[in-house]
Short mmCIF file of all heavy atoms in Angstrom, two decimals:
data_model
loop_
_atom_site.label_atom_id
_atom_site.label_comp_id
_atom_site.label_asym_id
_atom_site.label_seq_id
_atom_site.Cartn_x
_atom_site.Cartn_y
_atom_site.Cartn_z
N ALA P 227 -8.71 -9.84 -26.09
CA ALA P 227 -8.46 -9.28 -24.74
C ALA P 227 -9.25 -7.98 -24.55
O ALA P 227 -9.32 -7.14 -25.43
CB ALA P 227 -6.99 -9.03 -24.55
N ASP P 228 -9.85 -7.84 -23.38
CA ASP P 228 -10.51 -6.61 -23.00
C ASP P 228 -9.53 -5.61 -22.38
O ASP P 228 -9.74 -4.39 -22.47
CB ASP P 228 -11.60 -6.88 -21.95
CG ASP P 228 -12.67 -7.82 -22.47
OD1 ASP P 228 -13.54 -7.35 -23.22
OD2 ASP P 228 -12.65 -9.02 -22.11
N VAL P 229 -8.50 -6.13 -21.75
CA VAL P 229 -7.52 -5.33 -21.03
C VAL P 229 -6.12 -5.82 -21.42
O VAL P 229 -5.87 -7.02 -21.45
CB VAL P 229 -7.69 -5.46 -19.50
CG1 VAL P 229 -6.69 -4.57 -18.76
CG2 VAL P 229 -9.12 -5.12 -19.07
N VAL P 230 -5.23 -4.87 -21.71
CA VAL P 230 -3.87 -5.19 -22.08
C VAL P 230 -2.92 -4.50 -21.09
O VAL P 230 -3.05 -3.29 -20.86
CB VAL P 230 -3.53 -4.77 -23.51
CG1 VAL P 230 -2.05 -5.02 -23.85
CG2 VAL P 230 -4.45 -5.46 -24.50
N ILE P 231 -2.00 -5.26 -20.52
CA ILE P 231 -1.07 -4.71 -19.55
C ILE P 231 0.33 -5.19 -19.88
O ILE P 231 0.56 -6.32 -20.29
CB ILE P 231 -1.43 -5.13 -18.11
CG1 ILE P 231 -2.84 -4.62 -17.74
CG2 ILE P 231 -0.38 -4.62 -17.11
CD1 ILE P 231 -3.25 -4.91 -16.31
N THR P 232 1.31 -4.31 -19.68
CA THR P 232 2.71 -4.68 -19.80
C THR P 232 3.48 -3.96 -18.69
O THR P 232 2.93 -3.18 -17.91
CB THR P 232 3.28 -4.36 -21.18
OG1 THR P 232 4.58 -4.94 -21.30
CG2 THR P 232 3.40 -2.85 -21.42
N ASP P 233 4.79 -4.25 -18.64
CA ASP P 233 5.67 -3.60 -17.66
C ASP P 233 7.06 -3.53 -18.31
O ASP P 233 7.31 -4.13 -19.35
CB ASP P 233 5.69 -4.43 -16.37
CG ASP P 233 6.36 -3.69 -15.20
OD1 ASP P 233 6.60 -2.44 -15.34
OD2 ASP P 233 6.63 -4.30 -14.17
N VAL P 234 7.94 -2.81 -17.66
CA VAL P 234 9.31 -2.69 -18.19
C VAL P 234 9.95 -4.05 -18.28
O VAL P 234 9.64 -4.97 -17.54
CB VAL P 234 10.15 -1.76 -17.30
CG1 VAL P 234 9.63 -0.35 -17.36
CG2 VAL P 234 10.22 -2.24 -15.86
N TRP P 235 10.89 -4.19 -19.19
CA TRP P 235 11.59 -5.45 -19.38
C TRP P 235 12.68 -5.68 -18.32
O TRP P 235 12.95 -6.82 -17.98
CB TRP P 235 12.21 -5.48 -20.77
CG TRP P 235 11.18 -5.55 -21.87
CD1 TRP P 235 9.87 -5.93 -21.75
CD2 TRP P 235 11.36 -5.21 -23.25
NE1 TRP P 235 9.24 -5.85 -22.98
CE2 TRP P 235 10.13 -5.41 -23.91
CE3 TRP P 235 12.46 -4.73 -23.99
CZ2 TRP P 235 9.96 -5.18 -25.28
CZ3 TRP P 235 12.29 -4.51 -25.34
CH2 TRP P 235 11.06 -4.74 -25.97
N ALA P 236 13.26 -4.63 -17.82
CA ALA P 236 14.28 -4.74 -16.76
C ALA P 236 13.83 -3.87 -15.58
O ALA P 236 13.83 -2.66 -15.68
CB ALA P 236 15.64 -4.30 -17.26
N SER P 237 13.45 -4.52 -14.49
CA SER P 237 12.98 -3.79 -13.31
C SER P 237 14.16 -3.28 -12.52
O SER P 237 15.33 -3.57 -12.80
CB SER P 237 12.13 -4.71 -12.44
OG SER P 237 10.98 -5.15 -13.13
N MET P 238 13.84 -2.48 -11.49
CA MET P 238 14.87 -1.91 -10.63
C MET P 238 15.75 -3.04 -10.03
O MET P 238 15.21 -4.00 -9.50
CB MET P 238 14.23 -1.10 -9.50
CG MET P 238 15.19 -0.21 -8.73
SD MET P 238 14.33 0.75 -7.45
CE MET P 238 13.17 1.69 -8.42
N GLY P 239 17.04 -2.91 -10.19
CA GLY P 239 17.96 -3.93 -9.73
C GLY P 239 18.39 -4.91 -10.83
O GLY P 239 19.27 -5.74 -10.61
N GLN P 240 17.77 -4.78 -12.01
CA GLN P 240 18.11 -5.67 -13.13
C GLN P 240 18.77 -4.90 -14.28
O GLN P 240 18.83 -5.39 -15.42
CB GLN P 240 16.84 -6.35 -13.66
CG GLN P 240 16.16 -7.24 -12.64
CD GLN P 240 14.81 -7.76 -13.12
OE1 GLN P 240 14.15 -7.13 -13.94
NE2 GLN P 240 14.43 -8.92 -12.62
N GLU P 241 19.27 -3.71 -13.99
CA GLU P 241 19.83 -2.87 -15.04
C GLU P 241 20.96 -3.52 -15.82
O GLU P 241 21.14 -3.30 -17.02
CB GLU P 241 20.31 -1.55 -14.43
CG GLU P 241 19.21 -0.62 -13.95
CD GLU P 241 18.68 -0.97 -12.56
OE1 GLU P 241 19.21 -1.94 -11.96
OE2 GLU P 241 17.78 -0.29 -12.09
N ALA P 242 21.75 -4.37 -15.13
CA ALA P 242 22.85 -5.04 -15.79
C ALA P 242 22.37 -6.03 -16.86
O ALA P 242 23.16 -6.41 -17.74
CB ALA P 242 23.72 -5.75 -14.75
#
Side-chain angles (χ1 to χ4, degrees):
D228 299 283
V229 182
V230 176
I231 300 184
T232 190
D233 193 10
V234 294
W235 292 340
S237 298
M238 193 179 300
Q240 298 173 332
E241 290 82 1

